[in-house]
Amino acid sequence: ETGCFTYDNGFTATAACRSAITYIDGDAGVLMYRGYPIEQLAKQSNFVEVAYLLMHGELPKQDELAKFEGDITHHTMLHEAFKNFLDGFRHDAHPMAMLMGMVGSMASFYHNNLDYEDPAERRLAAIRLIAKVPTIAAACYRYSIGWPLRYPRNNLEYVTRFLHMMKEVPSEPLELNPVAAKALDLLFILHADHEQNASTSTVRLVGSTGANPYACVAAGVAALWGPAHGGANEAVLKMLGEIGRPENVQSAVDKAKDKESGFRLMGFGHRVYKNFDPRAKIIREMTYKVLDELGVNDPLLDVAIKLEEAALKDEYFIQRKLYPNVDFYSGIIYKALGIPTEMFTVMFAIARTAGWVSHWLEQQADPENKIGRPRQVYTGATERDYVAIGKR
Ligand code: SDX
């Protein structure tokens, strides 16, 4: 009840907030969305239904799900003026830079005279974000490769619609791969929410000031981009590529143990999980299945498996309870789906938008919601008198 945590470095911290959305037990490797174990949702649900669950707190009945899907489908289009933003970016801009800018600019299109005291207006803003972020993400990708934009096709379901907008080749008949859509849907479920991670805490801190939801989610995108957070999936693929072959794995593990090197095994370790990240387990199993179904043989998978084996039996990693996290294997699947490395964190952002807007809604509905104001341990100079410049 006190909400006080004592970290392993002796720091104590009070809980940032109270939330009923996601529960994590880092020691037991438990993750639940609104009380449903992630393993069951991964097996039996789909991303849109999970987004509904995170937002509303209950699994939807058939008609509720149909209405939710209809609401999202109705809001997938972007104002044509969004193209002006894209034309302003360098062609080689990182898609996360474009996503951050474009999501923030949604405040200039959809925010005017909205009354966030009205729960219906708040829900509409959440729906708009879940609906439009994939459209923006696909547009950023196509802009970066010089392809014409694709409008959302409302006869397609959420993930397939995104893949169509992102990958449809202008001069060839549309090929929709059900294996790819199913794999991406599962990755979106696993990335949808994760309690008070850095980007969700950012969304809540910005939301606590009364800023509009588009500004809050743009701040979340910014926080997620960091390689210590969502940017890790892109960094894992780069790291596996640099290791190159299974025989180089041990030297990578040894380098990660040498603090001087500044090198860390990307995709390993976690602020909360000091046991296996349950998502990593599901993604590892899924990696074999997806690559097999797609007939993809990726040598980086062998490197990843050997790296995991070597680290998990190394005293340095065992002592520090460092296990593979959600980012360790996901990039291998994205790569097998033909998604370029620089779009990996964008995939994470599309999924986490469901969690970000759910936390924003929960916070805005809380009558006791106060502005966030983290405190510090002051380590600076004690009081002293000013010295004129001539006497310094
Ligand atoms: C995500 O919070 C969330 O929930 C995030 C997330 C979500 O869904 O939102 O789960 C998604 O961000 C997963 C994490 C992705 N990031 C990475 O994979 C980057 C690589 N991992 C790390 O940089 C690191 O593990 C962090 C950032 C995840 C955690 O960093 P901490 O808090 O500094 O790690 P720690 O305090 O647990 O470290 C304990 C020790 C330290 O060594 P000592 O000072 O005790 O000697 O372990 C070492 C660290 O140097 N260590 C690593 C390591 N991670 C920690 N050593 C080598 N390789 C690593 N990956």
Side-chain angles (χ1 to χ4, degrees):
E1 263 312 301
T2 59
C4 240
F5 288 77
T6 306
Y7 285 100
D8 30 9
N9 57 10
F11 266 97
T12 55
T14 44
C17 66
R18 300 163 64 86
S19 175
I21 299 174
T22 292
Y23 174 76
I24 297 174
D25 178 334
D27 293 329
V30 170
L31 167 58
M32 298 194 295
Y33 293 162
R34 299 286 191 177
Y36 294 97
I38 193 68
E39 295 79 5
Q40 292 187 29
L41 293 170
K43 273 209 179 75
Q44 303 176 59
S45 188
N46 61 68
F47 175 67
V48 171
E49 183 177 73
V50 163
Y52 182 98
L53 172 66
L54 290 169
M55 269 179 66
H56 300 84
E58 297 297 335
L59 287 170
K61 295 185 183 62
Q62 197 63 53
D63 60 331
E64 291 166 328
L65 182 58
K67 171 148 184 355
F68 186 61
E69 280 173 329
D71 289 348
I72 290 174
T73 302
H74 184 71
H75 286 286
T76 51
M77 287 280 283
L78 291 173
H79 190 291
E80 278 300 295
F82 265 95
K83 288 183 181 169
N84 303 331
F85 286 102
L86 278 177
D87 294 340
F89 292 121
R90 274 175 57 114
H91 71 283
D92 57 354
H94 194 289
M96 282 298 279
M98 294 196 264
L99 183 69
M100 188 172 62
M102 299 268 278
V103 170
S105 68
M106 284 177 75
S108 67
F109 289 90
Y110 309 112
H111 170 53
N112 302 336
N113 58 49
L114 268 184
D115 164 18
Y116 291 123
E117 293 305 313
D118 175 356
E121 292 285 4
R122 295 202 295 263
R123 184 180 179 279
L124 174 58
I127 292 276
R128 278 196 170 119
L129 280 156
I130 292 178
K132 295 182 196 295
V133 166
T135 308
I136 293 173
C140 294
Y141 172 67
R142 293 179 81 95
Y143 174 76
S144 70
I145 57 172
W147 277 8
L149 303 189
R150 276 294 169 270
Y151 288 103
R153 285 183 39 180
N154 291 346
N155 63 324
L156 299 175
E157 62 76 33
Y158 190 85
V159 173
T160 308
R161 178 167 58 225
F162 165 67
L163 286 171
H164 163 256
M165 286 190 283
M166 181 179 162
K167 296 168 64 65
E168 195 264 349
V169 180
S171 49
E172 284 166 23
L174 174 64
E175 265 187 36
L176 293 176
N177 180 336
V179 172
K182 191 160 176 7
L184 194 54
D185 191 282
L186 176 47
L187 285 172
F188 281 1
I189 289 174
L190 297 173
H191 286 79
D193 193 53
H194 210 240
E195 200 222 61
Q196 300 309 317
N197 58 87
S199 54
T200 301
S201 300
T202 300
V203 169
R204 289 188 81 121
L205 190 56
V206 176
S208 74
T209 69
N212 69 76
Y214 309 106
C216 295
V217 170
V221 173
L224 186 74
W225 192 3
H229 189 14
N233 54 19
E234 181 177 347
V236 167
L237 247 288
K238 194 161 159 284
M239 173 188 73
L240 293 175
E242 284 162 2
I243 293 172
R245 293 198 299 271
E247 49 270 33
N248 301 336
V249 150
Q250 193 50 51
S251 60
V253 170
D254 295 342
K255 190 176 161 197
K257 291 155 51 176
D258 165 16
K259 286 280 170 8
E260 300 298 305
S261 75
F263 172 73
R264 283 192 168 190
L265 291 189
M266 301 315 279
F268 260 80
H270 200 276
R271 288 303 268 145
V272 176
Y273 289 124
K274 298 307 173 191
N275 193 321
F276 242 91
D277 180 335
R279 302 166 297 176
K281 264 191 196 158
I282 296 168
I283 295 179
R284 175 165 12 94
E285 279 148 39
M286 168 187 168
T287 306
Y288 295 107
K289 190 165 169 291
V290 170
L291 268 59
D292 183 41
E293 285 175 345
L294 293 173
V296 169
N297 174 20
D298 186 346
L300 291 187
L301 179 55
D302 298 337
V303 176
I305 293 164
K306 285 281 177 291
L307 183 60
E308 180 185 11
E309 278 167 10
L312 290 184
K313 61 182 181 216
D314 187 292
E315 209 34 54
Y316 175 96
F317 287 81
I318 294 168
Q319 241 178 19
R320 292 166 177 78
K321 299 180 182 173
L322 300 174
Y323 293 89
N325 59 47
V326 68
D327 293 306
F328 189 64
Y329 282 101
S330 54
I332 294 176
I333 297 180
Y334 288 138
K335 183 168 172 261
L337 300 182
I339 293 169
T341 315
E342 62 278 5
M343 283 292 286
F344 288 4
T345 311
V346 173
M347 298 300 115
F348 198 148
I350 292 173
R352 189 53 57 90
T353 296
W356 289 333
V357 299
S358 301
H359 281 270
W360 178 76
L361 289 171
E362 179 182 64
Q363 175 191 59
Q364 299 303 313
D366 178 356
E368 290 171 32
N369 172 33
K370 283 191 180 332
I371 187 165
R373 182 58 177 83
R375 296 312 308 273
Q376 64 174 20
V377 173
Y378 178 67
T379 58
T382 49
E383 186 176 344
R384 52 185 170 165
D385 295 328
Y386 183 82
V387 177
I389 192 162
K391 296 199 173 95
R392 289 174 201 162

